[in-house]
Amino acid sequence: MTTTQDARQDLYPTRLTAPGGTLTREHRTVWGRAQDGPFDAGALAAHEERGFTILEDMITGDEVLAYRQELTRLTTTPALKADERVITEKTSGEVRSIFEVQDLSPAIDALSRDPRILERARQLLGSEVYLHQTRVNYMPGFAGSGFYWHSDFETWHAEDGMPIPRAVSCSIALTDNYPFNGGLMVMPGSHRTFVPSLGETPEDNYRSSLKEQKAGVPSEAAITEMAHGLGIDQFTGPAGSALWFDANIMHGSGNNITPFPRSNIFFVFNSVENALEEPFGAADHRPGYIANRDATPLR
Ligand code: 6CS
Ligand code: FE
């Protein structure tokens, strides 16, 4: 007798018990058309090809200052110190990320619904969208630790039950992103390859993975092959710039030992047609503040 779990098709098997080769992505990257939103046909074609788009001046200098004050307010709110949505740096104990930030900051909630952001997410995903995950990353100076190479979709598929990579992240820089202060690195075109990871998901993995990801990371062999084949681009640009990147693009960031923090706001938009199911590679799904299970369209 097969259960629905067994019968369910998994196009992107990962967290394998034996090494498996890379897979070619089954799904397109851009689901909407030029007439559906602010991106023109050329921009959509470039996003389909590279898997990411950098927009300078996504928000104004005044807005950057206002959101930077919000980030400071959040880190200096005593009640939040013990909140499970606040992730601290492994070594320094400083705030590393705050998840579900739209519930903690009305200003950031409003930004996620701003047409400059929401219309682009709807256009790229070709449907109504909802917030799968939001977070602010502080990447403080001197002690900001980076994120090893990974595909977000690999985690969201395995641990949250996201069926296909019909999701897009928008990272808005609140500080200047230099090559040397932990700027996000991406491998252009890597979104078209799905790299399964080896090793089952530990119980309650999110309690450590948000500080330092161990399960779900690609092999050095896969990273080496992709880096040689595709190269590495880096998201640099002034505060107010935005990086739109596909859920499956291979990305990572280095540590930040400079005095210059690299803070940003992340919105992860998922298509309402791609709502979370049961995890494809873990026993239990993650809490709602990391993976929203309410696919009500964002208005
Ligand atoms: O596990 C997650 O959902 C988070 N981890 C990383 C390294 N990037 C995506 C996401 O925020
Ligand atoms: Fe990531």
Side-chain angles (χ1 to χ4, degrees), residues 60-78:
T60 66
D62 290 346
E63 289 175 300
V64 165
L65 289 178
Y67 296 120
R68 272 228 289 267
Q69 284 161 359
E70 267 303 83
L71 263 63
T72 304
R73 179 180 71 80
L74 292 172
T75 51
T76 54
T77 304

Side-chain angles (χ1 to χ4, degrees), residues 26 28 35 37 45 90 122 174 181 203 250 260 276 284 292:
E26 294 260 336
R28 73 179 77 165
Q35 58 265 43
K90 208 169 174 181
R122 285 177 175 149
L174 295 183
N181 69 332
E203 185 141 349
M250 195 60 73
F260 312 111
L276 303 187
D284 304 309
N292 180 10

Side-chain angles (χ1 to χ4, degrees), residues 15 96-97 99 132-135 137 146-153 155-156 159-160 169 184 205-206 209-213 245 247 251-252 266 268 286 290-291:
R15 310 286 164 105
R96 171 178 166 88
S97 306
F99 280 80
H132 165 69
Q133 178 183 105
T134 66
R135 68 189 188 286
N137 277 349
F147 296 84
Y148 186 71
W149 291 109
H150 66 283
S151 151
D152 292 342
F153 173 66
T155 291
W156 298 338
E159 298 190 52
D160 303 332
S169 291
L184 201 62
N205 183 45
Y206 67 93
S209 67
L210 301 176
K211 281 182 188 285
E212 187 180 25
Q213 184 177 2
F245 59 106
H251 64 289
F266 272 89
V268 182
R286 300 193 296 177
I290 299 176

